[in-house]
Amino acid sequence: LSSGCNFAGLLNSGAIVSAIVSNNTHVFIGGRFSRYAGFQVNNIAKIDKSTCDLDTTFTQSTGFDSTVNALALSGSSLYVGGDFSSYRGATNPAQRLAKIDLTSGDLDTTFTQSTGFNGSVNALAVSGSSLYIGGGFSSYKGADSINLAKVDLISGDLDTTFTQSTGFNSTVNALAV
């Protein structure tokens, strides 16, 4: 962000930022917060790197209904993980994992499903055509997946050759590729 931006002062009191990613022009933040620069944002915001202004096309007042823990960028998409169950209202279910367009903020309903993870998503990492997901969960779209999963970046389909029902015996909080 620009040197003149008081990032912390622009979020509501008590805000927690859990994830930050950026591209050439914008910073995306996720966490547990409701306001940025006086605008209602609900746990996610897209901010101009040079002016610190909120992108109100991407960022809608309804946002995510609970905490965002992890963000990952790939191409023209932002992958979001957390404790949420909907995005931009009840008509857009997103069970702890969502894929949204970097420009419009629209939900990719091919990838994002209402039957996502049954527990918290805490970490995301992109490698090639895959998204790795870590957290405190035991299933994804009804299939066993213990705290670690690998899905296709386009379809969101589970890679069952990587993801095993035995998984990790405790929560995964960080990933690196």
Side-chain angles (χ1 to χ4, degrees), residues 63-67 82-98 107 112-117:
F64 286 98
D65 69 342
S66 192
T67 307
D83 296 313
F84 50 82
S85 60
S86 76
Y87 175 66
R88 292 186 178 174
T91 59
N92 289 317
Q95 199 64 27
R96 298 178 181 95
L97 179 66
L107 190 68
T112 307
Q113 301 292 314
S114 61
T115 57
F117 287 96

Side-chain angles (χ1 to χ4, degrees), residues 30-152:
R32 188 173 58 210
F33 50 86
S34 59
R35 301 190 77 68
Y36 179 85
F39 291 94
Q40 185 76 28
V41 294
N42 284 354
N43 306 312
I44 191 156
K46 178 182 176 184
I47 303 160
D48 185 280
K49 272 187 172 179
S50 62
T51 66
C52 297
D53 290 340
L54 183 69
D55 180 330
T56 55
T57 299
F58 175 93
T59 309
Q60 303 289 314
S61 63
T62 50
F64 286 98
D65 69 342
S66 192
T67 307
V68 169
N69 298 326
L71 299 170
L73 290 170
S74 182
S76 62
S77 299
L78 177 66
Y79 296 86
V80 184
D83 296 313
F84 50 82
S85 60
S86 76
Y87 175 66
R88 292 186 178 174
T91 59
N92 289 317
Q95 199 64 27
R96 298 178 181 95
L97 179 66
K99 177 182 176 183
I100 55 180
D101 182 88
L102 283 182
T103 303
S104 66
D106 291 342
L107 190 68
D108 179 335
T109 56
T110 300
F111 179 93
T112 307
Q113 301 292 314
S114 61
T115 57
F117 287 96
N118 70 342
S120 184
V121 170
N122 299 332
L124 300 172
V126 174
S127 180
S129 62
S130 299
L131 177 67
Y132 294 85
I133 302 107
F137 48 81
S138 61
S139 73
Y140 174 67
K141 294 185 179 180
D144 287 346
S145 174
I146 311 298
N147 302 319
L148 181 65
K150 177 183 175 186
V151 302
D152 182 82

Side-chain angles (χ1 to χ4, degrees), residues 13-31:
S13 176
I16 296 172
V17 174
S18 305
I20 302 173
V21 295
S22 67
N23 61 16
N24 292 335
T25 57
H26 292 90
V27 174
F28 300 84
I29 62 171

